[in-house]
Amino acid sequence: MFFLKGRRRRRLLQTPLADADRELMHRLAPLTAALPADLRPAHEGAVQVLLAEKHFEGAAGLAVTREMELIVAGLAALLQLRPDADWYPGLDTVLIYPEAFVVDHGVEDEHGFVHEGEDELAGESWQRGVVILSWQDVVREAEAHDGYNVVLHEFAHQLDERTGEADGMPLLADPALAARWNEAFAAAFARHRKLCKRRREVLFDQDAAESPAEFLATAVELFFEYPRDLKAEYQDVHALLAAWLHLDPAAWTAG
Ligand SMILES: [Zn+2]
């Protein structure tokens, strides 16, 4: 079975998107259109794998459309251009609500997930195989160049959770990278909290101060949305993310 899956993946990785799908993805998620030409075939292959292997489900009456699948897979695939791409092995389902959703503390919903905390959310990542997104926020943040991107944020949490713990330390195949990661991110997180206290932080939002996991997920958003600012303000974080993701958006976007 693993053999067949591997063969299917290799075929998908070499399959370009249909022209109409590519146009739709580039229009809805301009970040995917900003990718340098030499990375596009690998990116489209990654999109194909995610479209084939993940279930996309609508919640609260939402019917999933091709554009929803493409925008989510297109953005999530940006985090899978690493040599150690793993295709989010813990993730089965992307659950899409029409808009920001409210979750109640300790209530098991029809999907069998127990939610933590009560809040209005644009997205959530679950260790038990689910990413939950608000379509309204997905589409708005994918279009806007505003520092926010809930898809990148939640899929970054998925990668962080691969170690069994959402602690801001993803599973890193490169031991040299892993050795530098903790110290550099801990220092950046401490700096961010200090700047927040003094109201001097100009890049990361307050939510990133909540935990190392939130800091990492936000850093991944900024890495794509404001790469040059991240590089200027948090050089180590930018360098580690570039080494991990094998990308340098600071070199290919207007920043
Ligand atoms: Zn988060």
Side-chain angles (χ1 to χ4, degrees):
M1 192 188 147
F2 283 116
F3 176 69
L4 284 176
K5 200 172 186 179
R7 239 173 42 168
R8 187 162 171 251
R9 256 184 208 163
R10 278 196 294 280
R11 185 172 50 74
L12 286 166
L13 282 170
Q14 289 164 11
T15 309
L17 288 173
D19 289 346
D21 281 349
R22 180 184 304 116
E23 270 167 41
L24 202 53
M25 180 182 76
H26 284 178
R27 183 159 54 76
L28 291 165
L31 266 176
T32 62
L35 263 183
D38 61 324
L39 295 175
R40 286 191 187 185
H43 176 252
E44 292 195 9
V47 174
Q48 298 277 25
V49 170
L50 297 178
L51 290 175
E53 295 190 4
K54 309 305 176 189
H55 302 287
F56 293 81
E57 278 180 36
L62 183 84
V64 173
T65 62
R66 186 66 175 167
E67 61 179 4
M68 293 175 189
E69 295 178 349
L70 282 167
I71 196 169
V72 173
L75 290 167
L78 291 173
L79 309 183
Q80 295 290 344
L81 297 172
R82 311 163 354 241
D84 60 338
D86 55 5
W87 318 112
Y88 307 106
L91 178 70
D92 299 316
T93 302
V94 179
L95 188 62
I96 308 175
Y97 279 80
E99 51 195 22
F101 46 92
V102 175
V103 294
D104 292 324
H105 177 76
V107 175
E108 195 156 329
D109 68 12
E110 74 266 34
H111 297 276
F113 310 124
V114 180
H115 299 299
E116 311 162 53
E118 188 174 334
D119 211 348
E120 194 171 83
L121 299 168
E124 252 187 329
S125 166
W126 290 88
Q127 292 191 27
R128 283 167 59 191
V130 186
V131 161
I132 311 179
L133 297 165
S134 144
W135 174 240
Q136 197 180 56
D137 293 276
V138 166
V139 87
R140 185 179 57 221
E141 293 174 6
E143 270 175 356
H145 186 64
D146 61 358
Y148 290 99
N149 190 305
V150 66
V151 178
L152 292 171
H153 183 104
E154 301 308 331
F155 280 84
H157 277 318
Q158 280 288 313
L159 296 178
D160 185 10
E161 288 157 7
R162 285 276 337 265
T163 53
E165 212 182 345
D167 57 359
M169 177 86 180
L171 199 60
L172 299 165
D174 176 357
L177 193 58
R180 287 161 58 206
W181 193 278
N182 263 340
E183 205 182 327
F185 267 88
F189 181 59
R191 172 169 176 248
H192 167 60
R193 287 177 46 127
K194 202 180 276 177
L195 288 173
C196 276
K197 254 187 214 148
R198 296 185 194 148
R199 300 177 183 278
R200 300 259 311 267
E201 177 61 275
V202 292
L203 194 56
F204 284 81
D205 66 10
Q206 285 277 356
D207 290 349
E210 216 173 87
S211 64
E214 290 309 322
F215 186 78
L216 172 63
T218 308
V220 169
E221 289 177 86
L222 293 169
F223 180 70
F224 287 96
E225 292 264 323
Y226 292 150
R228 290 175 186 179
D229 296 307
L230 184 68
K231 196 173 181 176
E233 299 285 328
Y234 288 87
Q235 198 180 355
D236 288 352
V237 166
H238 175 273
L240 288 169
L241 291 177
W244 176 41
L245 298 172
H246 265 244
L247 289 174
D248 186 6
W252 44 265
T253 72

